[in-house]
Amino acid sequence: QVQLVESGGGLVQAGGSLRLSCAASGSIFSITAMGWYRQAPGNQRDLVAAITRGGSINYADSVKGRFTISRDNAKNTVYLQMNRLKPEDTAVYYCLCRRGPIESYWGQGTQVTVSS
């Protein structure tokens, strides 16, 4: 069992920045990947960025060049640095932890609102 606690969401003006954090606890010894998804009202939950245990990173095309995912293994925490935010980035952002071949755990979600 993995517990995820997200923080860092909020309201920001277009062009601004936010940094999301997701701290994992519990049975974290075999986490294989962590990432960020987002879901706007009426939309599906889509991948934003992910990082594997081995360090491979992938981003959604819509955030490439603006968002950076990183991790601090000592703190069992993954971050999403979001720069040059756009109104279309507005969504609830969810942290995802994958452990083993089939297990997935979700954070509680944090609202990111970008005004214009």
Side-chain angles (χ1 to χ4, degrees):
Q1 185 76 6
V2 175
Q3 296 81 45
L4 304 173
V5 178
E6 302 179 32
S7 62
L11 175 65
V12 66
Q13 298 286 331
S17 298
L18 286 173
R19 186 184 187 228
L20 306 183
S21 298
C22 176
S25 62
S27 300
I28 60 175
F29 63 92
S30 60
I31 291 174
T32 56
M34 295 186 70
W36 294 94
Y37 286 67
R38 65 187 182 188
Q39 186 170 24
N43 293 355
Q44 65 180 0
R45 189 174 297 184
D46 293 326
L47 174 70
V48 177
I51 183 168
T52 70
R53 185 178 184 87
S56 297
I57 294 172
N58 65 305
Y59 296 98
D61 288 341
S62 59
V63 307
K64 287 180 179 177
R66 299 187 298 120
F67 291 10
T68 303
I69 189 170
S70 62
R71 66 184 177 190
D72 185 335
N73 289 333
K75 296 181 178 180
N76 301 310
T77 299
V78 65
Y79 305 94
L80 185 67
Q81 179 66 48
M82 305 184 293
N83 298 324
R84 301 186 64 80
L85 283 160
K86 304 175 181 180
E88 51 262 45
D89 296 319
T90 295
V92 178
Y93 284 69
Y94 296 91
C95 180
L96 172 69
C97 173
R98 299 185 68 89
R99 191 175 74 91
I102 60 172
E103 296 179 30
S104 296
Y105 302 90
W106 292 96
Q108 80 278 12
T110 184
Q111 177 70 47
V112 172
T113 302
V114 184
S115 63
S116 62

